[in-house]
């Protein structure tokens, strides 16, 4: 799952960067937002012209270029490896009123011969102290499992994306409204964005896969 999905959702929901209103801990309200999407696309099949080597999607996703495609690093502000399978992704900066915030996501990518799993370990904002305070008022969880199957012309890639966002409701007039007044519109907006972005990200991954295969074939022919 591309980390930009989380950035787009935070941008579209127009979260207000304000100093926290002093509230009794028992009076805190939290809105739980959720979106999911499962989509399957047909995979192209590739063989080189020499030894008949097949370039399966599982091989691609186990390579650095495949990991970069999964994380869509071309669209990130910065990207760094924290360990063997954990990555820190900085999204393009967002403007909140007069504040500028840089979303930071820590993602774990686990690739096997059967699937590729992307899990969000943390999500926070970097910026001024006021911006950083917002990290205490929301939490996010994302899981994207990619599986594949079939053979030849029936080969397919399937993605199963789940996204949860918990927001503390701590500013007026929202504190005076029922939680459902935030959750209803929020869930609709999140689902609409996920429905739109997942197919686009899948198409971008297929383009990156095709580019990787062509480079591999060219390298073999060069020997």
């Amino acid at each position: 799952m591309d980390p930009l999905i989380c950035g787009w959702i935070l941008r579209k929901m127009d979260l207000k960067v304000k100093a926290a209103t002093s509230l009794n801990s028992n009076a805190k309200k939290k809105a739980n937002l959720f979106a999911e999407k499962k989509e399957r696309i047909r995979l192209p099949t590739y063989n080189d012209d020499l030894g008949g080597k097949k370039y399966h999607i599982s091989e691609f996703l186990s390579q650095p270029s495949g990991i970069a495609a999964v994380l869509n690093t071309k669209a990130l502000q910065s990207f760094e490896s924290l360990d063997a399978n954990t990555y820190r992704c900085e999204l393009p900066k967002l403007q909140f009123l007069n504040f500028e915030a840089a979303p930071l996501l820590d993602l774990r990518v686990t690739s096997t011969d059967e699937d590729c799993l992307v899990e969000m370990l943390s999500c926070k904002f970097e910026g001024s102290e006021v911006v950083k305070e917002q990290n205490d008022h929301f939490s996010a969880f994302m899981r994207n499992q990619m599986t594949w199957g079939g053979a030849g012309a029936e080969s397919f890639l399937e993605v199963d994306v789940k996204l949860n966002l918990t927001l503390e409701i701590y500013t007026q007039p929202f504190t005076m409204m029922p939680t459902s007044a935030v959750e209803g519109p929020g869930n609709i907006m999140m689902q609409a964005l996920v429905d739109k972005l997942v197919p686009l990200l899948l198409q971008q991954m297929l383009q990156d896969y095709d580019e990787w295969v062509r480079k591999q074939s060219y390298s073999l022919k060069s020997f």
Side-chain angles (χ1 to χ4, degrees), residues 54-106:
K54 293 183 178 181
Y55 299 102
H56 195 269
I57 187 72
S58 60
E59 183 179 355
F60 169 62
L61 293 177
S62 67
Q63 302 293 322
S65 52
I67 300 300
V70 168
L71 300 177
N72 197 11
T73 57
K74 295 176 182 177
L76 299 176
Q77 190 74 22
S78 67
F79 161 78
E80 65 174 311
S81 175
L82 300 181
D83 59 35
N85 64 344
T86 306
Y87 306 88
R88 177 157 295 164
C89 304
E90 180 181 353
L91 278 64
K93 292 180 180 178
L94 307 177
Q95 289 292 140
F96 293 126
L97 301 178
N98 295 323
F99 297 92
E100 193 173 67
L104 282 180
L105 309 180
D106 286 351

Side-chain angles (χ1 to χ4, degrees), residues 144-211:
N144 175 22
Q145 184 173 26
M146 289 166 277
T147 55
W148 43 81
E154 301 303 318
S155 297
F156 66 85
L157 174 68
E158 183 173 274
V159 298
D160 186 4
V161 177
K162 291 180 172 63
L163 178 64
N164 295 79
L165 188 63
T166 300
L167 304 174
E168 182 183 332
I169 304 172
Y170 66 99
T171 56
Q172 294 186 357
F174 303 106
T175 53
M176 304 177 69
M177 299 179 182
T179 304
S180 59
V182 176
E183 291 180 336
N187 283 327
I188 291 173
M189 184 177 296
M190 276 182 54
Q191 189 63 57
L193 286 167
V194 170
D195 287 344
K196 179 179 180 180
L197 290 173
V198 168
L200 294 175
L201 297 169
L202 272 173
Q203 290 303 317
Q204 180 61 54
M205 186 183 298
L206 283 185
Q207 291 179 23
D208 293 339
Y209 177 34
D210 182 73
E211 181 179 344

